[in-house]
Amino acid sequence: MSSTFAGVSAVAGGKLSPSTASSFLTSTDWGYHLLVVQDYSRTKQATPTGEWISSRPFMVGGHKWCIDYFPNGYTESCANFISLFVNLLDDDAEEPVKGKFNVSFIDEAEKHKPMYISAEAFNFHSESMLGYNMFMEKDVLEQSSHLMNDCFTIRCDIMLFSSKDAGGDKVLMSEIDQHLNNLLQTKVGADVTFEVSGEMFAAHRCVLAARSKVFMAQLFGPMKEGTTTSCVIQIKDMEAKVFRALLSFIYTDSLPKMEDDKMEEDEAAAVEEGQEEEATEDEMSEVAEQGQREKPPETVQWLQGLLVAADRYDLQRLRFICERQLSLRIGVSSVASTLALAEQHHCRPLKAACLKFIQAQSPSCLQIVMATDGWEHLITTYPFVLNELFAMFALNQK
Protein backbone atom coordinates (compact mmCIF):
# COMPACT_ATOMS: atom_id res chain seq x y z
CA MET A 1 0.00 0.00 0.00
CA SER A 2 1.38 3.40 -0.96
CA SER A 3 0.29 6.94 -0.26
CA THR A 4 -1.51 8.90 -3.00
CA PHE A 5 -1.09 12.63 -3.61
CA ALA A 6 -4.30 14.45 -2.63
CA GLY A 7 -3.51 17.98 -3.76
CA VAL A 8 -1.82 21.09 -2.42
CA SER A 9 -2.95 24.32 -0.75
CA ALA A 10 -0.93 27.52 -0.44
CA VAL A 11 -1.20 30.22 2.20
CA ALA A 12 0.15 33.62 1.16
CA GLY A 13 -0.25 37.06 2.68
CA GLY A 14 -2.15 35.69 5.65
CA LYS A 15 -4.87 33.88 3.70
CA LEU A 16 -5.48 30.91 1.43
CA SER A 17 -4.18 31.66 -2.03
CA PRO A 18 -6.86 31.60 -4.76
CA SER A 19 -4.25 30.35 -7.21
CA THR A 20 -3.89 27.01 -5.36
CA ALA A 21 -4.47 24.04 -7.62
CA SER A 22 -7.69 22.09 -7.14
CA SER A 23 -7.42 19.07 -4.89
CA PHE A 24 -7.06 15.67 -6.49
CA LEU A 25 -10.02 13.36 -6.14
CA THR A 26 -8.85 10.01 -4.80
CA SER A 27 -10.70 7.12 -3.20
CA THR A 28 -7.57 5.41 -1.89
CA ASP A 29 -7.44 4.74 1.83
CA TRP A 30 -4.07 6.44 2.30
CA GLY A 31 -3.45 9.88 0.86
CA TYR A 32 -1.53 13.02 1.70
CA HIS A 33 -2.16 16.73 1.20
CA LEU A 34 0.45 19.50 1.23
CA LEU A 35 -0.07 22.85 2.96
CA VAL A 36 2.49 25.40 1.76
CA VAL A 37 2.78 28.40 4.10
CA GLN A 38 4.36 31.35 2.31
CA ASP A 39 4.99 34.75 3.92
CA TYR A 40 5.07 33.04 7.32
CA SER A 41 6.01 36.25 9.17
CA ARG A 42 3.15 38.22 7.65
CA THR A 43 0.71 35.38 8.28
CA LYS A 44 1.75 35.26 11.94
CA GLN A 45 1.18 39.00 12.32
CA ALA A 46 -2.18 38.95 10.54
CA THR A 47 -3.76 35.99 12.36
CA PRO A 48 -4.55 36.36 16.09
CA THR A 49 -4.47 33.49 18.57
CA GLY A 50 -7.56 31.30 18.17
CA GLU A 51 -8.03 32.14 14.49
CA TRP A 52 -7.05 29.80 11.72
CA ILE A 53 -6.56 29.33 8.00
CA SER A 54 -8.07 26.25 6.38
CA SER A 55 -6.60 24.41 3.43
CA ARG A 56 -8.66 23.66 0.39
CA PRO A 57 -10.87 20.57 0.82
CA PHE A 58 -9.25 17.34 -0.38
CA MET A 59 -10.45 13.75 -0.73
CA VAL A 60 -9.03 10.61 0.89
CA GLY A 61 -10.95 7.34 1.10
CA GLY A 62 -14.07 8.90 -0.40
CA HIS A 63 -14.25 11.48 2.42
CA LYS A 64 -13.67 15.23 2.35
CA TRP A 65 -10.97 16.71 4.63
CA CYS A 66 -9.11 19.92 5.32
CA ILE A 67 -6.13 21.08 7.42
CA ASP A 68 -6.69 23.90 9.90
CA TYR A 69 -3.55 25.97 10.59
CA PHE A 70 -3.39 28.26 13.65
CA PRO A 71 -0.29 30.50 13.22
CA ASN A 72 -0.49 31.74 16.83
CA GLY A 73 -1.97 28.75 18.59
CA TYR A 74 -5.42 27.31 19.15
CA THR A 75 -5.83 28.95 22.57
CA GLU A 76 -3.97 31.44 24.79
CA SER A 77 -2.31 28.55 26.66
CA CYS A 78 -0.49 27.54 23.47
CA ALA A 79 -0.01 31.00 21.91
CA ASN A 80 3.74 30.41 21.63
CA PHE A 81 3.13 27.46 19.31
CA ILE A 82 1.61 26.79 15.92
CA SER A 83 -1.39 24.45 16.07
CA LEU A 84 -2.41 22.02 13.32
CA PHE A 85 -5.60 19.98 13.05
CA VAL A 86 -7.18 17.55 10.60
CA ASN A 87 -10.88 18.20 10.00
CA LEU A 88 -13.47 15.82 8.50
CA LEU A 89 -15.87 17.89 6.39
CA ASP A 90 -18.48 15.25 5.47
CA ASP A 91 -21.98 16.60 6.10
CA ASP A 92 -23.80 13.30 5.81
CA ALA A 93 -21.47 10.85 7.61
CA GLU A 94 -23.78 8.31 9.25
CA GLU A 95 -20.98 6.55 11.12
CA PRO A 96 -17.59 7.69 12.46
CA VAL A 97 -14.69 7.31 10.05
CA LYS A 98 -11.91 5.31 11.69
CA GLY A 99 -8.32 5.94 10.72
CA LYS A 100 -4.89 7.28 11.60
CA PHE A 101 -3.11 10.46 10.62
CA ASN A 102 0.28 12.11 10.72
CA VAL A 103 1.29 15.76 10.37
CA SER A 104 4.94 16.50 9.59
CA PHE A 105 7.19 18.84 7.64
CA ILE A 106 7.79 17.96 4.00
CA ASP A 107 11.55 17.68 4.58
CA GLU A 108 11.10 15.05 7.32
CA ALA A 109 11.22 12.16 4.86
CA GLU A 110 11.50 9.47 7.52
CA LYS A 111 8.14 10.57 8.98
CA HIS A 112 6.29 9.89 5.74
CA LYS A 113 6.62 6.11 6.14
CA PRO A 114 3.68 3.91 7.21
CA MET A 115 5.32 3.16 10.57
CA TYR A 116 5.22 6.85 11.46
CA ILE A 117 1.47 7.21 11.08
CA SER A 118 0.03 7.87 14.56
CA ALA A 119 0.06 4.94 16.96
CA GLU A 120 -3.61 4.79 17.82
CA ALA A 121 -6.68 4.86 15.62
CA PHE A 122 -9.19 7.69 15.94
CA ASN A 123 -12.87 8.02 15.17
CA PHE A 124 -13.39 11.08 12.98
CA HIS A 125 -16.84 12.62 13.23
CA SER A 126 -18.37 15.24 10.95
CA GLU A 127 -16.89 18.66 11.63
CA SER A 128 -14.56 17.22 14.29
CA MET A 129 -10.90 18.26 14.65
CA LEU A 130 -8.00 16.05 15.65
CA GLY A 131 -4.41 17.22 15.81
CA TYR A 132 -1.84 19.10 17.85
CA ASN A 133 -2.38 22.18 20.04
CA MET A 134 1.38 22.51 20.34
CA PHE A 135 2.77 21.18 17.06
CA MET A 136 5.96 23.27 17.30
CA GLU A 137 7.05 26.32 19.24
CA LYS A 138 7.23 29.34 16.94
CA ASP A 139 10.70 30.32 18.13
CA VAL A 140 11.99 26.82 17.41
CA LEU A 141 10.38 26.79 13.95
CA GLU A 142 11.88 30.18 13.09
CA GLN A 143 15.38 28.96 13.89
CA SER A 144 15.00 25.59 12.19
CA SER A 145 15.82 24.37 8.70
CA HIS A 146 12.09 23.76 8.09
CA LEU A 147 11.62 27.50 7.50
CA MET A 148 13.34 28.57 4.28
CA ASN A 149 12.85 32.01 2.75
CA ASP A 150 9.96 32.63 5.16
CA CYS A 151 8.20 29.52 3.86
CA PHE A 152 7.52 26.00 5.14
CA THR A 153 5.46 23.05 3.90
CA ILE A 154 3.34 20.69 6.00
CA ARG A 155 2.45 17.20 4.81
CA CYS A 156 -0.71 15.63 6.23
CA ASP A 157 -1.10 11.86 5.80
CA ILE A 158 -4.48 10.21 6.41
CA MET A 159 -4.82 6.42 6.50
CA LEU A 160 -8.34 4.98 6.78
CA PHE A 161 -9.39 1.53 7.96
CA SER A 162 -12.60 1.16 6.02
CA SER A 163 -13.70 1.93 2.50
CA LYS A 164 -16.01 0.66 -0.19
CA ASP A 165 -15.04 -1.84 -2.81
CA ALA A 166 -15.68 -1.43 -6.51
CA GLY A 167 -19.24 -2.81 -6.15
CA GLY A 168 -20.10 -0.30 -3.44
CA ASP A 169 -20.27 -2.88 -0.62
CA LYS A 170 -18.67 -1.87 2.63
CA VAL A 171 -15.41 -3.68 3.41
CA LEU A 172 -15.37 -4.72 7.06
CA MET A 173 -12.61 -3.28 9.20
CA SER A 174 -10.00 -5.70 10.47
CA GLU A 175 -10.59 -6.83 14.06
CA ILE A 176 -7.38 -8.81 14.53
CA ASP A 177 -6.04 -6.25 17.02
CA GLN A 178 -9.16 -6.66 19.17
CA HIS A 179 -8.98 -10.44 18.99
CA LEU A 180 -5.31 -10.56 19.95
CA ASN A 181 -5.83 -8.05 22.75
CA ASN A 182 -8.64 -10.24 24.08
CA LEU A 183 -6.23 -13.18 23.99
CA LEU A 184 -3.71 -11.15 26.03
CA GLN A 185 -6.29 -10.02 28.57
CA THR A 186 -7.95 -13.42 29.11
CA LYS A 187 -4.58 -15.28 29.10
CA VAL A 188 -6.22 -18.22 27.32
CA GLY A 189 -3.47 -20.49 26.00
CA ALA A 190 -0.69 -18.43 27.61
CA ASP A 191 2.50 -20.49 27.81
CA VAL A 192 5.14 -18.12 29.19
CA THR A 193 5.26 -15.83 32.23
CA PHE A 194 7.42 -12.76 32.80
CA GLU A 195 8.24 -11.18 36.13
CA VAL A 196 8.84 -7.45 35.88
CA SER A 197 9.34 -5.27 38.98
CA GLY A 198 7.45 -7.80 41.09
CA GLU A 199 4.46 -8.13 38.72
CA MET A 200 3.63 -11.23 36.67
CA PHE A 201 2.64 -11.10 32.99
CA ALA A 202 1.30 -14.11 31.09
CA ALA A 203 1.80 -14.18 27.33
CA HIS A 204 2.01 -16.40 24.26
CA ARG A 205 5.41 -17.43 22.94
CA CYS A 206 4.35 -17.62 19.29
CA VAL A 207 2.87 -14.11 19.29
CA LEU A 208 5.98 -12.63 20.90
CA ALA A 209 8.33 -14.51 18.58
CA ALA A 210 6.36 -13.46 15.49
CA ARG A 211 6.69 -9.79 16.44
CA SER A 212 10.24 -9.61 17.79
CA LYS A 213 13.46 -11.25 16.64
CA VAL A 214 14.79 -10.87 20.17
CA PHE A 215 11.85 -12.76 21.64
CA MET A 216 12.26 -15.35 18.89
CA ALA A 217 15.86 -15.96 19.97
CA GLN A 218 14.98 -15.83 23.65
CA LEU A 219 12.03 -18.23 23.46
CA PHE A 220 12.94 -20.55 20.60
CA GLY A 221 16.60 -19.98 19.77
CA PRO A 222 20.04 -19.99 21.39
CA MET A 223 18.86 -17.61 24.14
CA LYS A 224 16.00 -19.95 25.05
CA GLU A 225 15.22 -19.81 28.77
CA GLY A 226 13.44 -23.00 29.84
CA THR A 227 10.90 -25.08 27.98
CA THR A 228 8.18 -25.75 30.53
CA THR A 229 4.98 -23.74 30.88
CA SER A 230 5.86 -23.04 34.51
CA CYS A 231 8.98 -21.15 33.49
CA VAL A 232 9.12 -17.56 34.73
CA ILE A 233 11.44 -15.21 32.86
CA GLN A 234 12.68 -12.26 34.84
CA ILE A 235 12.97 -8.92 33.05
CA LYS A 236 15.40 -6.59 34.79
CA ASP A 237 15.87 -2.83 34.49
CA MET A 238 12.30 -2.18 33.33
CA GLU A 239 9.16 -0.84 35.02
CA ALA A 240 6.04 -2.99 35.03
CA LYS A 241 3.94 -0.27 33.34
CA VAL A 242 6.48 -0.08 30.52
CA PHE A 243 6.44 -3.86 29.96
CA ARG A 244 2.64 -3.82 30.06
CA ALA A 245 2.60 -1.22 27.27
CA LEU A 246 5.20 -3.21 25.34
CA LEU A 247 3.00 -6.32 25.45
CA SER A 248 -0.05 -4.28 24.48
CA PHE A 249 1.77 -2.93 21.43
CA ILE A 250 3.00 -6.39 20.42
CA TYR A 251 -0.56 -7.75 20.43
CA THR A 252 -2.44 -4.73 19.02
CA ASP A 253 0.21 -2.71 17.09
CA SER A 254 -0.86 0.45 18.93
CA LEU A 255 -0.06 2.22 22.18
CA PRO A 256 -2.48 2.22 25.09
CA LYS A 257 -4.05 5.60 25.79
CA MET A 258 -1.71 8.07 27.40
CA GLU A 259 -2.55 10.54 30.15
CA ASP A 260 -1.51 13.70 28.34
CA ASP A 261 0.39 15.84 30.81
CA LYS A 262 2.38 17.75 28.20
CA MET A 263 0.41 20.97 28.80
CA GLU A 264 2.05 21.49 32.17
CA GLU A 265 5.46 20.82 30.66
CA ASP A 266 4.95 23.15 27.73
CA GLU A 267 3.63 25.94 29.91
CA ALA A 268 6.75 25.69 32.06
CA ALA A 269 8.82 26.27 28.92
CA ALA A 270 6.81 29.26 27.76
CA VAL A 271 8.56 32.44 28.93
CA GLU A 272 7.44 35.91 27.94
CA GLU A 273 9.73 37.80 25.63
CA GLY A 274 12.16 39.97 27.48
CA GLN A 275 11.92 38.03 30.73
CA GLU A 276 15.58 37.11 30.56
CA GLU A 277 16.52 40.80 30.54
CA GLU A 278 14.40 41.61 33.58
CA ALA A 279 15.25 38.58 35.73
CA THR A 280 17.41 39.37 38.73
CA GLU A 281 20.16 37.14 40.03
CA ASP A 282 17.95 35.99 42.94
CA GLU A 283 15.11 35.16 40.53
CA MET A 284 17.47 33.14 38.34
CA SER A 285 18.61 31.21 41.41
CA GLU A 286 15.02 30.56 42.40
CA VAL A 287 14.21 29.34 38.89
CA ALA A 288 17.22 27.00 38.97
CA GLU A 289 16.12 25.57 42.33
CA GLN A 290 12.66 25.00 40.89
CA GLY A 291 14.20 23.08 37.98
CA GLN A 292 16.17 20.93 40.41
CA ARG A 293 12.92 19.93 42.12
CA GLU A 294 11.04 19.24 38.89
CA LYS A 295 11.04 15.88 37.18
CA PRO A 296 9.88 15.08 33.64
CA PRO A 297 6.10 14.46 33.46
CA GLU A 298 5.04 10.84 34.01
CA THR A 299 3.98 10.40 30.39
CA VAL A 300 7.44 11.52 29.21
CA GLN A 301 9.18 9.14 31.63
CA TRP A 302 6.91 6.33 30.46
CA LEU A 303 7.65 7.07 26.79
CA GLN A 304 11.38 7.23 27.51
CA GLY A 305 11.25 3.80 29.14
CA LEU A 306 9.16 2.46 26.28
CA LEU A 307 11.65 3.72 23.70
CA VAL A 308 14.42 1.85 25.54
CA ALA A 309 12.24 -1.28 25.61
CA ALA A 310 11.46 -0.95 21.88
CA ASP A 311 15.17 -0.77 21.11
CA ARG A 312 15.89 -3.70 23.42
CA TYR A 313 13.38 -5.97 21.64
CA ASP A 314 13.98 -4.58 18.13
CA LEU A 315 10.46 -3.20 17.62
CA GLN A 316 11.20 -0.52 15.06
CA ARG A 317 7.66 0.78 14.60
CA LEU A 318 7.25 1.23 18.35
CA ARG A 319 10.61 3.00 18.46
CA PHE A 320 9.50 5.44 15.72
CA ILE A 321 6.23 6.10 17.56
CA CYS A 322 8.00 6.81 20.86
CA GLU A 323 10.42 9.16 19.10
CA ARG A 324 7.52 11.05 17.56
CA GLN A 325 5.59 11.30 20.83
CA LEU A 326 8.67 12.42 22.77
CA SER A 327 9.47 15.07 20.17
CA LEU A 328 5.97 16.50 20.72
CA ARG A 329 6.48 16.59 24.49
CA ILE A 330 9.87 18.27 24.82
CA GLY A 331 9.96 20.68 27.78
CA VAL A 332 12.43 22.32 30.13
CA SER A 333 12.26 19.58 32.76
CA SER A 334 12.63 16.72 30.28
CA VAL A 335 14.74 17.97 27.37
CA ALA A 336 18.10 17.00 28.92
CA SER A 337 17.07 13.43 29.78
CA THR A 338 15.39 13.02 26.39
CA LEU A 339 18.51 14.33 24.62
CA ALA A 340 20.71 11.86 26.51
CA LEU A 341 18.32 9.06 25.58
CA ALA A 342 18.33 10.12 21.91
CA GLU A 343 22.13 10.12 21.88
CA GLN A 344 22.34 6.72 23.58
CA HIS A 345 19.91 5.06 21.17
CA HIS A 346 20.98 6.92 18.02
CA CYS A 347 17.63 8.68 17.51
CA ARG A 348 18.77 11.46 15.18
CA PRO A 349 15.42 13.22 14.57
CA LEU A 350 14.68 13.28 18.31
CA LYS A 351 18.16 14.56 19.10
CA ALA A 352 17.78 17.35 16.54
CA ALA A 353 14.42 18.36 18.05
CA CYS A 354 15.96 18.53 21.54
CA LEU A 355 18.90 20.63 20.38
CA LYS A 356 16.58 23.05 18.58
CA PHE A 357 14.41 23.35 21.69
CA ILE A 358 17.39 24.19 23.91
CA GLN A 359 18.71 26.64 21.34
CA ALA A 360 15.43 28.58 21.41
CA GLN A 361 15.20 28.97 25.21
CA SER A 362 15.75 32.16 27.19
CA PRO A 363 18.52 32.34 29.86
CA SER A 364 15.98 31.80 32.65
CA CYS A 365 14.68 28.61 31.03
CA LEU A 366 18.22 27.43 30.35
CA GLN A 367 18.86 27.80 34.09
CA ILE A 368 16.01 25.36 34.73
CA VAL A 369 17.32 22.94 32.12
CA MET A 370 20.83 22.98 33.57
CA ALA A 371 19.52 22.44 37.10
CA THR A 372 17.81 19.15 36.28
CA ASP A 373 19.26 15.72 37.03
CA GLY A 374 18.97 14.96 33.33
CA TRP A 375 21.44 17.73 32.48
CA GLU A 376 23.98 16.41 34.98
CA HIS A 377 23.69 12.95 33.42
CA LEU A 378 23.96 14.41 29.91
CA ILE A 379 27.17 16.39 30.45
CA THR A 380 28.75 13.52 32.42
CA THR A 381 27.90 10.78 29.93
CA TYR A 382 27.86 12.66 26.61
CA PRO A 383 29.99 15.80 27.07
CA PHE A 384 30.56 16.14 23.31
CA VAL A 385 26.89 17.11 22.94
CA LEU A 386 27.83 20.41 24.59
CA ASN A 387 30.15 21.13 21.67
CA GLU A 388 27.21 20.79 19.31
CA LEU A 389 25.14 23.14 21.45
CA PHE A 390 27.92 25.74 21.61
CA ALA A 391 28.31 25.55 17.82
CA MET A 392 24.56 26.14 17.38
CA PHE A 393 24.56 29.12 19.77
CA ALA A 394 27.62 30.57 18.00
CA LEU A 395 25.88 30.22 14.65
CA ASN A 396 22.88 32.08 16.09
CA GLN A 397 25.08 34.98 17.15
CA LYS A 398 26.18 35.40 13.55
Side-chain angles (χ1 to χ4, degrees), residues 77-335:
S77 63
C78 50
N80 292 333
F81 294 75
I82 64 170
S83 302
L84 289 167
F85 295 93
V86 180
N87 200 340
L88 176 64
L89 300 179
D90 290 359
D91 296 325
D92 56 351
E94 298 178 0
E95 299 177 0
V97 178
K98 189 170 185 178
K100 300 182 178 184
F101 69 95
N102 185 46
V103 180
S104 58
F105 291 101
I106 190 65
D107 55 334
E108 296 178 303
E110 74 281 357
K111 295 183 180 179
H112 305 156
K113 299 177 182 178
M115 64 180 64
Y116 235 110
I117 306 300
S118 58
E120 68 177 294
F122 296 93
N123 287 322
F124 292 92
H125 299 270
S126 294
E127 300 298 334
S128 67
M129 295 194 312
L130 291 173
Y132 305 99
N133 286 339
M134 301 178 181
F135 179 76
M136 177 171 278
E137 195 169 7
K138 290 182 290 187
D139 287 346
V140 175
L141 170 63
E142 289 160 15
Q143 297 176 46
S144 73
S145 59
H146 303 308
L147 187 66
M148 298 289 291
N149 299 320
D150 209 31
C151 172
F152 67 87
T153 301
I154 292 294
R155 169 169 164 155
C156 175
D157 284 84
I158 298 175
M159 181 185 292
L160 303 183
F161 290 163
S162 62
S163 62
K164 295 185 177 181
D165 62 18
D169 295 324
K170 193 171 184 179
V171 179
L172 293 180
M173 192 167 46
S174 171
E175 297 178 340
I176 188 171
D177 58 335
Q178 299 175 33
H179 294 159
L180 288 177
N181 185 53
N182 185 58
L183 195 65
L184 176 64
Q185 299 304 322
T186 61
K187 303 179 178 58
V188 173
D191 57 1
V192 64
T193 302
F194 297 91
E195 182 180 356
V196 187
S197 299
E199 291 190 36
M200 298 295 184
F201 298 88
H204 305 78
R205 294 170 181 260
C206 289
V207 175
L208 301 180
R211 296 280 281 156
S212 164
K213 294 178 181 178
V214 176
F215 274 126
M216 174 68 81
Q218 184 178 20
L219 300 172
F220 294 101
M223 298 168 56
K224 186 176 180 181
E225 299 186 17
T227 57
T228 65
T229 56
S230 61
C231 171
V232 176
I233 299 176
Q234 291 189 337
I235 303 292
K236 299 179 181 179
D237 303 322
M238 188 179 298
E239 293 184 356
K241 62 182 179 181
V242 170
F243 190 75
R244 185 180 297 109
L246 181 78
L247 282 182
S248 177
F249 179 83
I250 286 174
Y251 280 75
T252 67
D253 204 41
S254 64
L255 288 183
K257 279 214 166 188
M258 295 176 284
E259 291 295 329
D260 198 346
D261 50 17
K262 72 187 277 287
M263 181 71 75
E264 176 184 346
E265 175 76 1
D266 287 325
E267 286 179 351
V271 178
E272 294 182 4
E273 293 181 7
Q275 177 179 345
E276 62 273 17
E277 297 175 3
E278 301 172 7
T280 66
E281 212 171 288
D282 290 339
E283 289 171 336
M284 297 288 268
S285 177
E286 183 181 343
V287 167
E289 289 177 6
Q290 176 187 352
Q292 185 66 48
R293 293 194 302 269
E294 286 184 355
K295 291 183 178 180
E298 288 186 9
T299 298
V300 172
Q301 296 181 58
W302 177 71
L303 284 167
Q304 290 174 344
L306 197 53
L307 188 148
V308 174
D311 211 27
R312 179 173 175 175
Y313 289 100
D314 195 23
L315 296 167
Q316 292 302 311
R317 173 170 153 75
L318 178 58
R319 174 186 154 112
F320 277 124
I321 290 170
C322 290
E323 279 193 66
R324 172 65 171 169
Q325 293 297 327
L326 282 170
S327 69
L328 293 173
R329 289 170 168 77
I330 297 172
V332 290
S333 65
S334 65
V335 64

